[in-house]
Amino acid sequence: MNPWREGFLDGLRPEEPLTVDEWSDRYRRLSSKASAEPGPWRTDRTPYLRQVMRDLSSESTVQRVVLMFSAQSGKTEVGLNWLAWIIDHSPGPLLAVQPTIEMARRMSKQRLEGLIEDTPRLKEKIAPARSRDGSNSMFAKDFPGGILLLTGANSPSQLRSAPCRYLFMDEVDAMQEIPGEGDPVALAERRTTTFARRKVLLTSTPTVKDFSKIEAEYMKSDQRKFWVPCPSCGEFQHLEWSRLKWEKDRPETAQYQCKHCGERFDEHHKTQMLAAGEWRNHSHFDGKTAGFHLNGLYSPLGWAS
C-alpha cells in the first residue's frame, strides 16, 4: 500500500477504547516529586483500585463512584488517573474540587502540573502554564474537546458556574457547609444534571462516625467491601481490625487471624491476597452509585504496615 494512503487511513481509525486502568498502565508515570515509587503506574500494585477505575470508564453504566478509603491508599491517585484519561481519551467539561482554594492551588502545583509534565499524552494537549494564549492557568486548563476547572469547596460562585460532565471531589469530609448555600457536594453535583452520561467521583478518608459526609454517601451506595482469601484455608473474608492479634505489649508481633480456620498469617501474605481479592456489595445497587470501603489493613506491602 502507498505509505501516504496508509498514513491517511491510520489517522482516520478511531483510537482503541481503553478503560481508566488500562490507560493508566499504558501511559501514566509517577513523578519522583509526588510519589514514593516513581516510574510507570502499575495497577497490580494496588489491585483493589482496578474495579474502581473500571466503573469510572465509559463502558460502565455507573454514574457516581464513592470511595471511603483510609489515608494513603491510592484514592487521590485514582482521581488523577481519571482526570488524565478524560483529557486524553474521553474529553469533556471537568470540575475538580478540593476542600479549599488553597488546597486546590497546592494540588495544581504539586500534583497536576507534575502529572501533565510527566505524561507526554497530556503534555501535547495542554499548553504550558505561561503560554501567551492564557489557556492554561493554575485553576483552568484547556484541552481539545474540554476544559478542566480546579476550585475549592469554599468558593460557591465556582460551584454554581459552568455545567460539567465530569466531577471529582476529593476529601469531602474536610468540606464545610456553605452559609446560605448548604452542602457543597450537592451544590457541585447539580452542575452535572444536564449530562446524560455524567460521571461523579467522591473520595475521602472518613472522620467522625455518623457525622462523616463520605460515610453518608457510602451508605446510599451498594456498599462494596474488598474480600480476600485466607492464605491457609482459601476462604474469602473482608479484613476487620478486631481480627488483628498480637502478644501483650508487643504490637510488632501483630498477625491477622482468619475468621474461618483460626490460623494467623503475616504481612507478607498480603500481596497474593490482594491480587486474588474481589469487591462484593453489601447492599442493593440502584443502577447509579457504586460505593467502595477500604481500611488501612489493605495497605500494600511496603506502605503502612
Side-chain angles (χ1 to χ4, degrees):
M1 181 184 288
N2 183 297
W4 292 101
R5 176 179 171 80
E6 185 175 2
F8 174 75
L9 293 176
D10 281 344
L12 294 180
R13 292 191 186 100
E15 287 196 43
E16 177 188 358
L18 296 172
T19 58
V20 176
D21 58 300
E22 290 171 339
W23 186 96
S24 302
D25 284 330
R26 184 176 298 187
Y27 299 118
R28 175 87 195 272
R29 293 191 66 84
L30 298 170
S31 170
S32 58
K33 296 179 181 179
S35 174
E37 298 181 3
W41 169 273
R42 295 180 296 122
T43 304
D44 287 344
R45 185 75 171 99
T46 49
Y48 50 79
L49 296 179
R50 189 176 301 281
Q51 185 59 50
V52 175
M53 291 189 279
R54 292 284 168 95
D55 282 336
L56 287 169
S57 304
S58 301
E59 292 79 1
S60 172
T61 59
V62 172
Q63 293 185 10
R64 302 173 78 248
V65 174
V66 177
L67 303 187
M68 184 167 70
F69 276 24
S70 66
Q72 302 301 313
S73 54
K75 60 185 182 298
T76 301
E77 291 300 333
V78 162
L80 292 171
N81 286 350
W82 186 47
L83 299 187
W85 173 85
I86 291 168
I87 294 169
D88 182 52
H89 203 69
S90 186
L94 162 63
L95 177 63
V97 185
Q98 290 286 304
T100 66
I101 289 290
E102 182 55 40
M103 291 177 71
R105 179 180 289 108
R106 192 183 313 145
M107 181 182 181
S108 181
K109 293 179 66 175
Q110 295 181 356
R111 308 293 287 275
L112 204 52
E113 290 296 340
L115 173 66
I116 296 168
E117 185 66 26
D118 294 332
T119 310
R121 302 275 297 191
L122 304 184
K123 195 173 181 180
E124 66 185 25
K125 295 187 176 184
I126 298 178
R130 293 181 177 85
S131 64
R132 290 183 179 181
D133 62 11
S135 62
N136 180 353
S137 66
M138 184 173 293
F139 298 110
K141 301 190 184 298
D142 280 326
F143 53 90
I147 184 172
L148 164 60
L149 299 176
L150 187 65
T151 188
N154 59 345
S155 176
S157 61
Q158 289 290 335
L159 300 185
R160 287 195 308 264
S161 58
C164 57
R165 177 182 172 187
Y166 303 108
L167 172 64
F168 171 33
M169 302 192 77
D170 193 25
E171 295 298 350
V172 299
D173 268 22
M175 297 179 181
Q176 303 296 317
E177 295 285 310
I178 302 172
E181 302 279 358
D183 180 21
V185 175
L187 186 62
E189 280 206 59
R190 284 199 285 271
R191 304 279 66 79
T192 69
T193 54
T194 58
F195 290 87
R197 299 183 64 192
R198 69 173 186 150
K199 290 278 187 180
V200 175
L201 172 61
L202 307 178
T203 79
S204 191
T205 301
T207 50
V208 181
K209 185 171 175 58
D210 298 327
F211 292 93
S212 164
K213 288 186 176 69
I214 199 68
E215 180 193 33
E217 295 294 343
Y218 175 76
M219 296 305 292
K220 292 186 289 186
S221 75
D222 57 359
Q223 300 176 27
R224 304 181 194 185
K225 294 184 178 181
F226 201 62
W227 288 60
V228 293
C230 168
S232 298
C233 69
E235 290 292 326
F236 277 74
Q237 60 207 288
H238 62 87
L239 302 182
E240 302 172 292
W241 289 102
S242 61
R243 306 210 67 82
L244 205 61
K245 310 294 181 182
W246 61 90
E247 297 176 20
K248 186 177 180 180
D249 299 325
R250 295 187 62 201
E252 69 275 8
T253 65
Q255 293 180 302
Y256 193 90
Q257 185 174 50
C258 174
K259 67 183 297 182
H260 299 287
C261 68
E263 288 293 319
R264 297 184 181 186
F265 49 87
D266 296 305
E267 183 92 12
H268 70 271
H269 287 103
K270 280 203 296 185
T271 299
Q272 66 185 64
M273 292 168 63
L274 292 178
E278 59 187 39
W279 287 101
R280 297 182 183 180
N281 63 298
H282 291 241
S283 185
H284 173 70
F285 177 54
D286 64 2
K288 294 183 179 180
T289 304
F292 301 83
H293 175 213
L294 199 82
N295 64 45
L297 292 174
Y298 292 91
S299 183
L301 188 65
W303 292 15
S305 70

